[in-house]
Amino acid sequence: MSKKSTRQAYGEALVELGKINKNIVVLDADLSKSTKTDLFKKAFPERHINVGIAEGDLIGTAAGLVTCGRIAFASTFAMFAAGRAFEQIRNTVAYPKLNVKIAPTHAGISVGEDGGSHQSIEDIALMRAIPGMVVLSPCDAVETKKMVFAAAEYEGPVYLRLGRLDVETILDEEYNFQIGIANTLREGKDVSIVSTGLLTQEAMKAAEELAKENISVRVINVGTIKPLDGETILKAAKETKFIVTAEEHSVIGGLGSAVSEFLSEVYPTKVKKLGVYDKFGQSGKGAELLEKYDLTAAKLISIIKENL
């Protein structure tokens, strides 16, 4: 399988989008080479703004531009967007329901060597809590591109979570992404893995290995964490024995929490969570950190066997 980072796919998608929509503007906080918005800058220098190392200004300027009819994509690292600029996102973008797309890169512990201070494992929880905020998390380059176009068409605030690490491309170009709809990538009757981001690749690997032992695993890729696709989650809860959620994020407030909160009210079901358990990240190579924090197919297999 080919590999590409979701941040690279994001930069490429912005260029494609910019060619067909003259209202697209892209803003960055002095990290355009890392966020890959430099690709858009090269293609459309008059529609790219570097606000400098000032994340509050990044969001405030994006908000101002959309009041003039633009569609603004604002990018920096996830730690700085969801963390440092939280107040501006809440009060300047979400409160007035402005058409700003916050699209940070370098989310999760796979950021690697930048260490725990820069590895955002709380951003989904923060963005989920904001009223009216759509939260997207692509699993690969194909889904990223489709999310960028869907976000541009959606009227309102969107948080699009992107990563640094090159990840396997597992979806084909025929993949149909719609905001609010989860996609079942593999059918199964014993257990369901509900995954997002690069853990979807691990979910597919786990399902393939378990099939060799006659354990049937359903894999559901949740590209939209908010609004959650309750219909697909409920169907999985009713048709399989239990659910395992998988995400490169804290188990507090992320996908696992969203699934548990939903099912507890409509169809109480056993939910096991794979994610980061109340710890900070640390410096190391991205792939090695995923192993260290057990964000792997092997851990998914272990959880499923222990609970069947």
Side-chain angles (χ1 to χ4, degrees):
M1 294 181 182
S2 64
K3 282 190 172 186
K4 182 184 287 188
S5 67
T6 54
R7 62 172 172 150
Q8 180 69 31
Y10 168 63
E12 294 171 1
L14 285 178
V15 175
E16 292 184 33
L17 183 61
K19 290 177 182 177
I20 61 176
N21 191 333
K22 304 303 181 184
N23 285 323
I24 299 295
V25 293
V26 176
L27 301 91
D28 204 284
D30 208 35
L31 287 168
S32 62
K33 288 186 178 180
S34 295
T35 63
K36 301 304 179 181
T37 61
D38 62 330
L39 301 176
F40 188 90
K41 181 180 180 180
K42 291 174 184 175
F44 310 103
E46 73 285 357
R47 286 192 273 152
H48 181 277
I49 300 172
N50 178 10
V51 303
I53 306 173
E55 288 77 11
D57 288 346
L58 172 73
I59 302 302
T61 304
L65 285 167
V66 303
T67 65
C68 302
R70 301 292 188 262
I71 301 170
F73 281 80
S75 297
T76 179
F77 289 179
M79 190 67 249
F80 305 148
R84 190 173 294 169
F86 177 84
E87 181 188 353
Q88 286 77 16
I89 292 174
R90 181 190 185 275
N91 290 334
T92 309
V93 173
Y95 189 58
K97 300 179 182 178
L98 295 183
N99 201 25
V100 177
K101 319 305 172 184
I102 301 104
T105 64
H106 292 62
I109 62 168
S110 61
V111 171
E113 289 86 348
D114 289 351
S117 64
H118 283 53
Q119 294 164 2
S120 182
I121 54 172
E122 314 89 354
D123 55 317
I124 293 174
L126 289 166
M127 293 298 109
R128 275 186 67 222
I130 296 177
M133 180 65 74
V134 169
V135 180
L136 306 179
S137 174
C139 69
D140 69 1
V142 170
E143 191 169 37
T144 300
K145 177 181 175 181
K146 293 179 183 291
M147 282 184 178
V148 170
F149 278 78
E153 293 177 4
Y154 176 83
E155 185 67 31
V158 174
Y159 183 81
L160 173 53
R161 185 183 206 243
L162 304 162
R164 176 187 187 184
L165 200 65
D166 285 350
V167 294
E168 294 176 359
T169 300
I170 59 171
L171 304 174
D172 59 40
E173 293 297 334
E174 302 305 312
Y175 174 77
N176 180 30
F177 172 76
Q178 298 177 61
I179 291 176
I181 303 297
N183 292 82
T184 302
L185 304 184
R186 184 184 180 111
E187 292 291 349
K189 58 182 176 58
D190 291 324
V191 60
S192 295
I193 302 176
V194 178
S195 59
T196 192
L198 55 73
L199 263 294
T200 292
Q201 282 84 336
E202 298 305 304
M204 292 294 284
K205 293 173 187 174
E208 290 170 10
E209 285 300 313
L210 287 167
K212 298 173 183 177
E213 301 180 43
N214 294 318
I215 298 173
S216 176
V217 178
R218 183 176 307 188
V219 178
I220 300 170
N221 176 52
V222 180
T224 309
I225 295 173
K226 183 187 176 188
L228 188 70
D229 182 355
E231 183 178 343
T232 299
I233 301 299
L234 179 59
K235 186 172 185 288
K238 290 181 175 180
E239 294 178 354
T240 60
K241 297 180 176 68
F242 64 96
I243 286 175
V244 181
T245 61
E247 60 194 311
E248 189 195 0
H249 183 272
S250 172
V251 294
I252 303 168
L255 173 64
S257 291
V259 169
S260 299
E261 290 159 12
F262 169 72
L263 288 176
S264 69
E265 292 191 356
V266 300
Y267 194 82
T269 304
K270 185 176 187 177
V271 177
K272 302 296 293 184
K273 301 183 187 72
L274 178 62
V276 180
Y277 273 80
D278 204 25
K279 295 179 180 178
F280 286 106
Q282 55 190 291
S283 182
K285 294 185 183 301
E288 293 175 356
L289 289 172
L290 293 172
E291 289 279 349
K292 180 174 178 60
Y293 286 84
D294 282 332
L295 303 181
T296 63
K299 185 62 176 179
L300 283 169
I301 291 169
S302 174
I303 291 171
I304 289 169
K305 286 184 174 181
E306 287 173 5
N307 288 275
L308 272 177

